[in-house]
Amino acid sequence: MALLPDLGTEIVIPLCAVIGIVFSLVQWVLVSKVKLSPERGGASAANNGKNGYSEYLIEEEDGINDQNVVVKCAEIQNAISEGATSFLFTEYQYVGIFMVAFAILIFLFLGSVEGFSTKSQSCTYDKEKLCKPALATAIFSTVSFLLGAVTSVISGFLGMKIATYANARTTLEARKGVGKAFITAFRSGAVMGFLLAANGLLVLYIAINLFKLYYGDDWEGLFEAITGYGLGGSSMALFGRVGGGIYTKAADVGADLVGKVERNIPEDDPRNPAVIADNVGDNVGDIAGMGSDLFGSYAESSCAALVVASISSFGISHDFTAMCYPLLISSMGILVCLITTLFATDFFEIKAVKEIEPALKKQLIISTILMTVGIAIVTWTCLPSSFTIFNFGTQKVVKNWQLFLCVCVGLWAGLIIGFVTEYYTSNAYSPVQDVADSCRTGAATNVIFGLALGYKSVIIPIFAIAISIFVSFTFAAMYGIAVAALGMLSTIATGLAIDAYGPISDNAGGIAEMAGMSHRIRERTDALDAAGNTTAAIGKGFAIGSAALVSLALFGAFVSRAAISKVDVLTPKVFIGLIVGAMLPYWFSAMTMKSVGSAALKMVEEVRRQFNTIPGLMEGHAKPDYATCVKISTDASIKEMIPPGALVMLTPLIVGTFFGVETLSGVLAGSLVSGVQIAISASNTGGAWDNAKKYIEAGASEHARTLGPKGSDPHKAAVIGDTIGDPLKDTSGPSLNILIKLMAVESLVFAPFFATHGGLLFKIF
């Protein structure tokens, strides 16, 4: 028996979730102490204690008491917040319609498995026992789908609200120094990270307990119905990611091409009509999209682990604590991340620009080391010393230390992927510096070097994923892979905090430029932003790595559920699935890239039109029409997110219904294998181009200064590379990991239907 009794589990999990929510609210209160209203004379400076006077003099010189700046920052923040809120509301209206339609579809498909009968049926894995009817699974799957979808939407929306709340506050803090600004940006990121991790855990836990009232001891049926939660989370994430990605990149590409390349005005210049849309885009794409995406991964890896656990000895012997092992790991993760966050905000203070990136990297290392200890504690208190795990029809004996290793392998693989990503995308290392150097000879060489860098950056992450798959599968079959994915995501709160920090500091820089603050402040926000770019790339690395593991775990659960004895590549049914599945990520990327391209085209034309027709715009006498640009981005992204979304959502349904489960298993394997490669290379190529441009702009080293000030030929070549990389790193790349997971989790939810009624075409012949 485990050391922790069932009652303990029932207290610990919700308690940790509540602690996470409370901690995020505390961080939010701390951020809100930075005031955005200009009633402040010398009083606040004099209150700084012993050296209030000297600080006051420094502030005077920095124009800190310039009331106009504060008012301007507040105005810009308002505009960004309104733009983001109105876009998300429009998006959610469309997504809401889809959600209801898809929920009805789930009900009809799963209900029809037994012809909507309300009689108990024999269980899938143990034919002697009776389980709840298929109709119950249909109803509960639909409910958990809607729960997951709503939680996902709320996660994204709250993240966006917090980010738009914090961006101007970060700008104002930057007047006092880079350390203060860093803490504000990081705290706001932490608010989002902890809210999301705690919410995801709490809602899932409550759902399990409510479903238990009906299912009783039928764990198999309960967790089969719970998989809908992951499906809901990821389907919303798909639309959020694709819609937000198209929005942000249409604005970004339009603003850069006309502003920087044609008109030679700096980034985020208030004269540029697309500048508000660009800053809104950072919030809806990188924050709302990323939030929903990682929430989806998290929900799915929990669901995959729970499904396998329910048909292993945990479920058979009704060991509730052991079955909740995935949830207990997540609970421990919240506590670990809480301690880790304090290292960045309270234990150490950042004094200089060069300390920013190390501080963020330390977050990853500290959380990983502490989490390793945390996993050990959870494993030894919650699991029996030996148990069996379902392994494609047989039960495999597993020891608790083997499961501990599975989780750790995932956790450390995540760290390795994060650091490799950082090496390839940060301008502190040679790969990005080589890309920057290639700009001497124009945009073409820049593009060639950048693509090569992206392809090369795939090698080590794939080995890391491969090793973790091998180790965890050897130890604990499919359950091992599911918990390895959970291990990678166990420090999600810290990962998200680091990730959300990027767009917040990006926005802060934009606000500083638009409010016309001094050059020194813009330099500070740029330093924050460059570090944020790299951390965003690290975050994407985590998302992609975990998506690969999650998808494989779901694939295993699907194969077990659909009662396929083995997936044989040499049968034609499976092989055609493989090759078509491998093609899907390309089709999907083509759709999203083209959407960004066509939306950017409209944006470029509009920005040009305004520069040419509004008199006095270039001189700064007239205000540009920001609203039209915001509207172009909104309309384009809403219209363009439907086809890629439909492609991902309909493929498993069509393949499963017409070609059957064998072909579908081929499609899932194919899309997993090719999707991971494209996603990693696209994200890293885009990140490297972006930071090569920043490297030239910052001119921090002798080498960078030879490449020119802003506006030189190498700089223009770098801007073109950055612009090409935008849709790669912020639209196609990050959306692909959702494609991989979503198709797998959808196949798992519809598995009962495909197993009974699937493969119509092969039945005819």
Side-chain angles (χ1 to χ4, degrees):
M1 248 324 271
L3 292 172
L4 185 71
D6 286 357
L7 181 68
T9 310
E10 285 173 25
I11 295 168
V12 166
I13 297 176
L15 183 70
C16 288
V18 171
I19 291 175
I21 293 171
V22 169
F23 182 71
S24 72
L25 293 176
V26 170
Q27 297 296 323
W28 184 71
V29 169
L30 290 170
V31 171
S32 64
K33 288 216 170 112
V34 181
K35 287 289 171 269
L36 259 185
S37 49
E39 303 83 55
R40 33 172 316 181
S44 62
N47 289 346
N48 284 342
K50 55 182 189 305
N51 55 356
Y53 187 60
S54 58
E55 269 195 351
Y56 182 54
L57 288 177
I58 298 168
E59 292 181 0
E60 274 297 305
E61 158 199 73
D62 240 6
I64 201 162
N65 292 327
D66 191 355
Q67 312 293 2
N68 308 347
V69 169
V70 184
V71 173
K72 243 183 186 167
C73 283
E75 272 174 21
I76 299 162
Q77 181 203 27
N78 228 353
I80 294 173
S81 184
E82 275 170 22
T85 310
S86 76
F87 167 72
L88 286 179
F89 272 124
T90 318
E91 180 184 71
Y92 294 156
Q93 279 164 7
Y94 284 85
V95 170
I97 298 166
F98 156 81
M99 210 160 83
V100 173
F102 204 76
I104 294 169
L105 208 72
I106 293 177
F107 177 70
L108 294 177
F109 269 59
L110 291 181
S112 67
V113 172
E114 297 286 319
F116 295 99
S117 87
T118 49
K119 289 197 291 294
S120 291
Q121 50 182 25
S122 60
C123 299
T124 320
Y125 301 101
D126 183 1
K127 297 292 178 204
E128 278 78 68
K129 291 214 304 256
L130 279 183
C131 281
K132 301 290 184 199
L135 191 64
T137 306
I139 294 169
F140 283 106
S141 292
T142 312
V143 171
S144 60
F145 167 77
L146 291 171
L147 256 182
V150 171
T151 313
S152 182
V153 163
I154 290 174
S155 305
F157 187 73
L158 285 178
M160 183 280 302
K161 272 295 187 209
I162 290 151
T164 50
Y165 182 79
N167 49 19
R169 289 175 164 78
T170 306
T171 313
L172 294 177
E173 286 292 277
R175 298 179 306 183
K176 300 177 192 166
V178 79
K180 292 267 198 289
F182 171 81
I183 288 180
T184 303
F186 189 79
R187 277 202 168 123
S188 333
V191 177
M192 175 183 179
F194 282 93
L195 265 185
L196 196 134
N199 269 343
L201 179 64
L202 196 60
V203 175
L204 181 58
Y205 183 73
I206 291 170
I208 290 173
N209 277 316
L210 292 178
F211 286 15
K212 206 165 80 179
L213 298 176
Y214 171 80
Y215 279 103
D217 279 345
D218 175 11
W219 296 111
E220 183 191 304
L222 194 159
F223 289 123
E224 193 170 298
I226 283 283
T227 44
Y229 184 70
L231 177 62
S234 258
S235 50
M236 294 304 103
L238 177 72
F239 291 109
R241 243 330 181 180
V242 176
I246 293 168
Y247 185 106
T248 171
K249 289 306 123 180
D252 198 356
V253 173
D256 282 359
L257 282 181
V258 185
K260 287 193 209 166
V261 181
E262 291 177 15
R263 295 277 167 170
N264 269 338
I265 57 177
E267 186 162 2
D268 295 318
D269 191 295
R271 293 170 292 181
N272 193 332
V275 66
I276 294 280
D278 184 5
N279 280 301
V280 170
D282 290 334
N283 293 301
V284 294
D286 294 351
I287 297 226
M290 188 70 183
S292 299
D293 176 5
L294 277 175
F295 165 75
S297 274
Y298 170 78
E300 279 157 347
S301 54
S302 306
C303 292
L306 291 167
V307 166
V308 182
S310 69
I311 48 179
S312 304
S313 65
F314 303 153
I316 297 163
S317 61
H318 306 302
D319 184 350
F320 184 71
T321 303
M323 218 166 352
C324 285
Y325 180 64
L327 300 181
L328 287 160
I329 289 181
S330 308
S331 312
M332 178 57 88
I334 291 177
L335 302 181
V336 163
C337 291
L338 200 151
I339 298 165
T340 312
T341 304
L342 297 177
F343 274 98
T345 54
D346 297 84
F347 298 157
F348 299 111
E349 199 178 342
I350 287 187
K351 306 249 182 338
V353 166
K354 61 175 186 295
E355 294 173 17
I356 301 171
E357 221 164 291
L360 291 167
K361 282 195 337 210
K362 276 192 202 116
Q363 286 288 299
L364 287 177
I365 297 170
I366 294 170
S367 63
T368 306
I369 293 170
L370 290 176
M371 194 61 208
T372 309
V373 180
I375 296 166
I377 296 170
V378 171
T379 310
W380 267 272
T381 51
C382 306
L383 291 179
S385 58
S386 169
F387 42 89
T388 63
I389 293 289
F390 183 84
N391 178 21
F392 299 122
T394 58
Q395 293 282 354
K396 178 183 167 94
V397 178
V398 180
K399 304 267 185 292
N400 58 8
W401 60 267
Q402 291 175 309
L403 212 49
F404 163 70
L405 286 179
C406 292
V407 186
C408 285
V409 155
L411 179 66
W412 286 90
L415 187 69
I416 292 169
I417 293 174
F419 278 152
V420 171
T421 311
E422 196 234 1
Y423 173 71
Y424 280 106
T425 55
S426 162
N427 51 26
Y429 304 105
S430 60
V432 171
Q433 293 174 6
D434 291 346
V435 172
D437 193 60
S438 69
C439 294
R440 288 174 196 283
T441 43
T445 40
N446 181 24
V447 171
I448 294 167
F449 270 70
L451 287 172
L453 175 144
Y455 296 148
K456 197 174 162 191
S457 70
V458 176
I459 302 169
I460 300 174
I462 291 295
F463 276 123
I465 292 172
I467 291 168
S468 44
I469 287 171
F470 183 78
V471 171
S472 47
F473 195 93
T474 315
F475 280 152
M478 273 304 160
Y479 190 66
I481 292 176
V483 292
L486 260 175
M488 200 179 274
L489 289 167
S490 59
T491 52
I492 183 174
T494 296
L496 261 173
I498 293 177
D499 209 55
Y501 154 87
I504 291 172
S505 28
D506 192 348
N507 260 229
I511 292 174
E513 183 73 51
M514 284 187 268
M517 290 170 122
S518 70
H519 182 63
R520 292 223 321 254
I521 290 171
R522 179 70 217 217
E523 270 178 7
R524 286 171 192 163
T525 55
D526 270 352
L528 291 172
D529 182 19
N533 250 342
T534 305
T535 55
I538 293 176
K540 286 177 190 126
F542 265 96
I544 295 164
S546 62
L549 291 175
V550 170
S551 169
L552 189 61
L554 292 164
F555 176 63
F558 162 72
V559 171
S560 310
R561 181 61 187 86
I564 308 170
S565 50
K566 60 180 196 300
V567 180
D568 184 0
V569 182
L570 294 176
T571 50
K573 277 185 190 177
V574 176
F575 194 81
I576 58 168
L578 263 180
I579 201 159
V580 170
M583 174 274 300
L584 287 172
Y586 288 92
W587 188 359
F588 180 81
S589 300
M591 284 175 158
T592 49
M593 300 276 293
K594 189 144 186 288
S595 304
V596 172
S598 55
L601 218 132
K602 292 192 191 108
M603 188 66 80
V604 167
E605 282 166 359
E606 172 59 26
V607 174
R608 275 184 191 152
R609 183 193 69 77
Q610 291 199 24
F611 273 126
N612 294 332
T613 56
I614 298 179
L617 180 56
M618 267 310 276
E619 293 73 43
H621 299 318
K623 271 187 106 168
D625 173 10
Y626 297 126
T628 313
C629 291
V630 172
K631 190 174 179 339
I632 288 178
S633 261
T634 304
D635 295 349
S637 53
I638 300 287
K639 191 171 110 255
E640 304 276 2
M641 76 181 179
I642 315 266
L647 172 74
V648 179
M649 299 299 284
L650 296 177
T651 304
L653 291 179
I654 292 168
V655 173
T657 309
F658 293 109
F659 299 94
V661 282
E662 278 99 343
T663 311
L664 181 54
S665 64
V667 169
L668 294 178
S671 66
L672 167 64
V673 167
S674 85
V676 173
Q677 330 286 337
I678 305 177
I680 296 176
S681 64
S683 291
N684 290 351
T685 295
W689 275 328
D690 193 346
N691 273 344
K693 174 203 71 176
K694 287 230 165 42
Y695 175 74
I696 296 176
E697 285 177 355
S701 68
E702 199 46 57
H703 174 231
R705 284 193 283 278
T706 58
L707 293 170
K710 290 187 185 180
S712 66
D713 283 342
H715 177 246
K716 283 193 173 171
V719 170
I720 290 170
D722 174 34
T723 315
I724 300 170
D726 274 338
L728 283 171
K729 79 175 194 310
D730 288 325
T731 314
S732 298
S735 313
L736 277 173
N737 58 52
I738 306 180
L739 165 133
I740 305 168
K741 298 179 308 203
L742 189 54
M743 284 178 31
V745 73
E746 190 180 338
S747 308
L748 175 59
V749 170
F750 286 105
F753 174 80
F754 297 150
T756 2
H757 302 302
L760 295 179
L761 286 182
F762 294 129
K763 282 179 184 164
I764 298 166
F765 301 132

